[in-house]
């Protein structure tokens, strides 16, 4: 197996991410046979642990636990790994604060790791265009771009991976995917929770950096990019980058929930936004003139991520002489329940000719018996087998930052009450996505 013998090193091994997400995901991969007894998992951190105390801290089943060991610090790590005779390939997961990425990457390089290694990092990748560029340059001094895996966990969501399949594996939709038939595109990613205990991070970021620059731009790229010539990661990334290069912010508004400045870690008088709405344009031949609306925020009325495609109204002919027929819509439910719903007009049964709105529903829970794997399982498995499709390149992140240059931290911030959805008034005519919750729950 391609995954045989590789060593997975978790730097920042006693942290929350390692304990709550990474080690449990690796354990599930082991249970499913995607990892085996030839693999080694090494925790690395500053805290001294014995192998046993490290295993106890991450609470594991015995057989899987035997794959784990602990090494304090990076110095001596190369010799330690070699002595464990675990094969050549080493994956470094930097479960650390982003400020540590460059120092760690360079320390690993200095320790002698250069060939046959993968470096895994998670957002934020910089703070704006200049800092992202600097981060990428510094990382490139220590590792090749082809060895770096940048995680955007939205790409590992099943319903997100299905976007390209929906578009390019169904002859039905491909012809209408353009400004001739589509009236607008809407992406909504809402959370009912506030910033919880992440005030110190969030207050320096805001929702545009936290969600739009990465997750929402990735969704939008998959939804609107041109067909790649092949499915290889380089081709897909190229199309995403070209799309991002055509993206332009037309209008935006920023909001902050009442009580935000009293949260732990938030600066007094902070003007960081917790909710934002943006109207974008894509300046290419396929999408010119079509508005794209994005909205995302914390502490609003509900949790849910949806994409809505509004098709253009029918001509005022035949059944639509009075212009009363609702245009077709396609709703991608990304979470919490995954599905795709298409709104159609149909004749109501009976002796008269009334037309009603109906839906065609595809719900993952009804269509598939298999469990939907958690994002980290999918991502770790891809890293281990060297598949870069679901990872973000340096160019993609930099291009995405560039689009937002004039928006970050700019403009007024309007207050909203917790539990309510602000109205930005950008002319979006948002689809009432809540209506679709019960159609695929
Ligand atoms: C993270 C953001 O990247 O994504 C969080 O930093 C946000 O602020 C989270 O809550 C949302 O992820 P999901 O998978 O719960 O939609």
């Amino acid at each position: 197996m391609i995954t045989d013998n590789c060593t997975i090193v978790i730097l920042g091994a006693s942290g929350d991410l390692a304990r709550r997400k990474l080690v449990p995901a690796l354990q599930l991969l082991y249970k499913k046979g995607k990892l085996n007894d030839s693999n080694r998992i090494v925790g690395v951190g500053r805290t001294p642990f014995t192998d046993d105390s490290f295993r106890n801290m991450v609470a594991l089943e015995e057989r899987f636990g035997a794959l784990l060991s602990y090494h304090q610090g990076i110095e001596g790590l190369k010799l330690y790994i070699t002595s464990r005779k675990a094969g050549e390939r080493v994956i470094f997961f930097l479960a650390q604060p982003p400020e540590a990425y460059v120092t760690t990457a360079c320390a690993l390089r200095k320790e002698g790791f250069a060939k046959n290694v993968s470096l895994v990092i998670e957002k934020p990748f910089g703070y704006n265009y200049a800092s992202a560029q600097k981060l990428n340059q510094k990382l490139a001094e220590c590792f090749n771009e082809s060895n770096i895996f940048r995680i955007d966990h939205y790409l590992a969501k099943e319903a997100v991976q299905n976007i390209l399949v929906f578009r390019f594996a169904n002859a039905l939709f491909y012809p209408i995917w353009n400004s001739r038939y589509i009236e607008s595109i809407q992406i909504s990613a809402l959370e009912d929770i506030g910033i919880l205990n992440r005030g110190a991070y969030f207050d320096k970021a805001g929702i545009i950096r936290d969600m739009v620059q990465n997750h929402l731009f990735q969704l939008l790229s998959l939804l609107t990019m041109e067909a790649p010539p092949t499915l290889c990661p380089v081709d897909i990334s190229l199309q995403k980058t070209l799309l991002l290069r055509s993206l332009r912010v037309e209008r935006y508004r920023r909001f902050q929930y009442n009580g935000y400045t009293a949260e732990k870690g938030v600066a007094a008088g902070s003007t960081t936004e917790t909710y934002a709405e943006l109207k974008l344009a894509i300046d290419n031949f396929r999408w010119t003139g079509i508005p794209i609306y994005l909205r995302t925020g914390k502490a609003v009325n509900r949790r849910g991520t949806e994409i809505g495609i509004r098709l253009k109204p029918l001509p005022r002919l035949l059944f639509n002489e009075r212009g009363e027929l609702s245009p077709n819509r396609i709703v991608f439910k990304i979470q919490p329940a995954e599905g795709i719903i298409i709104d159609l007009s149909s004749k109501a049964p009976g002796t008269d000719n009334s037309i009603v709105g109906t839906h065609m529903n595809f719900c993952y829970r009804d269509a598939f018996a298999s469990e939907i794997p958690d994002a980290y399982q999918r991502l770790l498995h891809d890293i281990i087998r060297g598949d870069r499709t679901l990872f973000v390149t340096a160019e993609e992140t930099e291009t995405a930052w560039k689009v937002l240059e004039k928006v970050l931290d700019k403009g007024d911030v309007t207050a909203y009450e917790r539990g309510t959805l602000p109205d930005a008034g950008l002319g979006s005519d948002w689809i009432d996505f809540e209506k679709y919750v019960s159609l695929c729950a």
Side-chain angles (χ1 to χ4, degrees):
M1 216 174 24
I2 188 168
T3 57
D4 278 356
N5 294 318
C6 87
T7 300
I8 299 146
V9 179
I10 303 175
L11 295 116
S14 54
D16 214 38
L17 177 64
R19 235 176 327 144
R20 284 196 313 113
K21 298 277 189 186
L22 303 181
V23 177
L26 290 167
Q27 179 158 265
L28 280 168
L29 289 175
Y30 179 75
K31 267 194 179 159
K32 291 177 180 168
K34 313 260 185 213
L35 286 178
N36 59 41
D37 295 327
S38 75
N39 295 113
R40 295 281 170 271
I41 299 166
V42 181
V44 172
R46 276 180 300 199
T47 322
F49 282 109
T50 63
D51 289 349
D52 277 342
S53 60
F54 176 57
R55 284 179 198 132
N56 289 341
M57 182 190 65
V58 286
L60 302 161
E61 284 164 25
E62 217 177 319
R63 237 186 112 191
F64 171 73
L67 307 189
L68 266 87
S69 63
Y70 188 82
H71 186 270
Q72 193 183 354
I74 293 177
E75 212 181 309
L77 189 59
K78 177 93 173 150
L79 196 65
Y80 174 79
I81 289 176
T82 319
S83 70
R84 292 176 64 84
K85 300 193 178 54
E88 295 254 293
R89 174 126 194 275
V90 189
I91 294 163
F92 295 103
F93 200 116
L94 276 53
Q96 301 172 310
E99 304 80 66
Y101 289 167
V102 171
T103 319
T104 301
C106 296
L108 290 170
R109 184 59 203 259
K110 205 167 143 217
E111 180 61 19
F113 295 104
K115 271 202 270 169
N116 241 335
V117 292
S118 304
L119 192 80
V120 186
I121 53 176
E122 227 177 316
K123 66 150 253 245
F125 309 124
Y127 178 79
N128 52 18
Y129 176 56
S131 59
Q133 237 189 350
K134 195 164 155 207
L135 171 70
N136 288 331
Q137 273 163 10
K138 292 271 174 209
L139 290 174
E141 286 169 18
C142 304
F143 288 96
N144 286 336
E145 173 67 15
S146 61
N147 298 121
I148 302 174
F149 287 74
R150 287 180 197 77
I151 289 186
D152 182 316
H153 80 282
Y154 264 57
L155 294 178
K157 294 183 189 282
E158 274 297 335
V160 174
Q161 290 168 51
N162 196 33
I163 294 174
L164 288 189
V165 178
F166 178 87
R167 289 188 54 200
F168 299 124
N170 293 295
L172 200 57
F173 304 107
Y174 182 69
I176 60 158
W177 223 248
N178 55 54
S179 60
R180 175 155 183 208
Y181 297 102
I182 289 178
E183 184 185 69
S184 72
I185 295 176
Q186 314 186 341
I187 304 182
S188 167
L190 307 177
E191 288 182 284
D192 48 4
I193 51 170
I195 53 164
L196 305 175
N197 54 359
R198 299 167 72 225
Y201 151 75
F202 191 89
D203 199 41
K204 293 203 182 69
I207 205 76
I208 296 179
R209 287 187 179 85
D210 187 49
M211 292 288 294
V212 177
Q213 187 272 346
N214 37 73
H215 307 322
L216 298 200
F217 275 9
Q218 285 292 326
L219 293 189
L220 181 60
S221 310
L222 293 172
L223 202 66
T224 53
M225 69 185 217
E226 294 301 311
T230 74
L231 289 176
C232 77
V234 179
D235 285 342
I236 294 177
S237 170
L238 177 67
Q239 293 300 2
K240 282 199 279 175
T241 308
L242 289 174
L243 187 281
L244 289 166
R245 280 177 55 189
S246 314
L247 209 55
R248 175 169 50 86
V249 180
E250 278 192 348
R251 293 178 67 195
Y252 66 96
R253 279 197 65 193
R254 304 192 301 136
F255 298 81
Q256 186 187 80
Y257 62 80
N258 277 333
Y260 169 76
T261 49
E263 303 260 22
K264 199 169 153 231
V266 172
S270 164
T271 55
T272 299
E273 80 282 348
T274 58
Y275 177 92
E277 198 167 317
L278 294 88
K279 182 180 182 202
L280 300 136
I282 302 177
D283 294 323
N284 68 16
F285 270 75
R286 180 182 294 275
W287 295 115
T288 187
I290 299 304
I292 315 283
Y293 298 100
L294 308 184
R295 71 175 179 196
T296 181
K298 308 252 179 210
V300 298
N301 58 336
R302 68 183 191 97
R303 172 174 183 254
T305 304
E306 293 95 8
I307 300 173
I309 309 286
R310 269 178 189 279
L311 278 94
K312 290 201 163 151
L314 285 167
R316 287 193 167 219
L317 295 167
L318 307 178
F319 300 112
N320 196 35
E321 270 189 331
R322 290 201 296 266
E324 285 169 353
L325 280 191
S326 293
N328 297 122
R329 294 166 179 172
I330 304 171
V331 172
F332 295 80
K333 282 169 59 82
I334 307 295
Q335 61 188 23
E338 298 84 350
I340 298 174
I341 297 165
I342 302 180
D343 286 354
L344 300 169
S345 295
S346 306
K347 179 187 172 301
T351 48
D352 52 15
N353 280 331
S354 55
I355 294 180
V356 292
T358 54
H359 316 279
M360 272 172 54
N361 305 357
F362 152 52
C363 287
Y364 279 56
R365 303 267 188 301
D366 301 337
F368 305 112
S370 54
E371 152 248 7
I372 296 181
D374 145 85
Y376 282 98
Q377 265 183 71
R378 169 71 203 235
L379 294 168
L380 285 165
H381 189 224
D382 283 359
I383 297 160
I384 294 165
R385 61 187 169 171
D387 182 342
R388 298 172 57 77
T389 315
L390 301 185
F391 298 85
V392 178
T393 62
E395 207 180 354
E396 281 171 60
T397 56
E398 286 177 26
T399 314
W401 280 120
K402 230 180 196 171
V403 177
L404 293 170
E405 274 294 82
K406 296 203 181 85
V407 173
L408 296 171
D409 310 316
K410 305 268 170 47
D412 296 340
V413 178
T414 310
Y416 64 101
E417 289 307 321
R418 282 189 83 116
T420 64
L421 190 61
D423 179 8
L426 301 185
S428 48
D429 194 9
W430 283 99
I431 293 173
D432 177 9
F433 292 115
E434 217 172 333
K435 236 179 54 191
Y436 296 79
V437 171
S438 62
L439 295 177
C440 175

